[in-house]
Amino acid sequence: MYSQQYYQGPNAVQIRNKRDRTVNTVIPGVFPGLLGAFLLFLWIAIIILEILSVYYDAGRGTVYAGFWCSTIFFLTWISMFCYRKSFLHFIFP
Amino acid sequence: MMKSVLINLVCCGKSSGCGSYLLVLNGINLIFAIILLVFTAIFINDPCLCYGALCRIPTWDYINDINIDVDRVYTCNSRTFRKVPVLKGLLACAILMAVCNIVFILTYLIVSIQLRFKARSYKRTPDIVYQQQSGSVRWSEQPSHYPSDINYIPRQYQPSYPMQSIQRTSQLPSAPPYDLYSAKF
């Protein structure tokens, strides 16, 4: 009828405190995602405008700043999408 | 499979340092946006300005010229001035990019400061609650493991030095009473 059972679970369990919130749990993932989308369009626009600027004159009035700055801009927008499993995981589940 | 591997490599995902990583990256991006902004503003003022070896690049009018003269410095023509509206658009893009970065940085900082002020108002409870098992033998019911009232178990006293040295010091007349930690305990 009754059988003896020994408790075999863990002795101490880590409990996530609800009050103990950080910035990463408060800011939703949509906010950096939208900013990242905006940065993406600006990045495309900067590259196109720099190509146009070089097309008009390759030597004067340019130091090709749009090209070597856009490498850093690329890194930024691609990591803005990834904050807290936001847009990119929504597009590619 | 390949997509998920790529995403996990590129993205910081759900890790706790992702926000601060984005903060640093936005700061670097802001610096480069300001560099682009400054260069573009200089060139809007003077489209004929050129730096160093870039002045030796011929304009498109002379690109088919066979007589290549390395030392020749080309001056701007009417085609150069057609890039001024393009440069204005570039300036607008750079300003918008800097504004985006500033918005993200300000939001992150404001939220973190608010959280810090909130955290001061209440006493933080420890994350780990030690559950004490009252009896290890139970009748055939589901083992209930609720956190008990005892959150803190005092550590047992463990001397980091040998006991004999204490006894030796306690024999001295001016020694404080170390009898509490003697061998009989």
Side-chain angles (χ1 to χ4, degrees), chain A residues 5 7 11 15 17 19 24 31 38 49-50 53 55-57 59-63 73 76 79 82 84 89, chain B residues 7 11 13 16 19 25 29 47 49 55 57 60 74 79-80 83 86 90 100 122 125 127 131 133 138:
Chain A
Q5 277 189 349
Y7 175 64
N11 219 8
I15 292 168
N17 201 340
R19 285 172 174 174
N24 296 310
F31 170 66
F38 200 55
L49 287 172
E50 189 66 34
S53 169
Y55 169 71
Y56 283 132
D57 197 335
R60 284 133 296 278
T62 182
V63 283
F73 300 159
T76 307
S79 53
C82 304
R84 268 188 66 198
H89 291 262
Chain B
I7 287 170
C11 301
S16 61
L25 210 56
N29 200 327
L49 192 67
C55 302
I57 296 174
W60 295 110
Y74 292 87
R79 190 173 165 147
T80 309
K83 72 159 61 174
V86 174
L90 203 61
C100 275
Y122 53 79
T125 51
D127 290 343
Q131 299 166 355
Q133 186 119 28
R138 286 180 184 277

Side-chain angles (χ1 to χ4, degrees), chain A residues 42-54 67, chain B residues 86 90:
Chain A
L42 284 176
W43 178 72
I44 295 168
I46 282 172
I47 288 177
I48 289 172
L49 287 172
E50 189 66 34
I51 288 170
L52 262 177
S53 169
V54 170
F67 293 137
Chain B
V86 174
L90 203 61

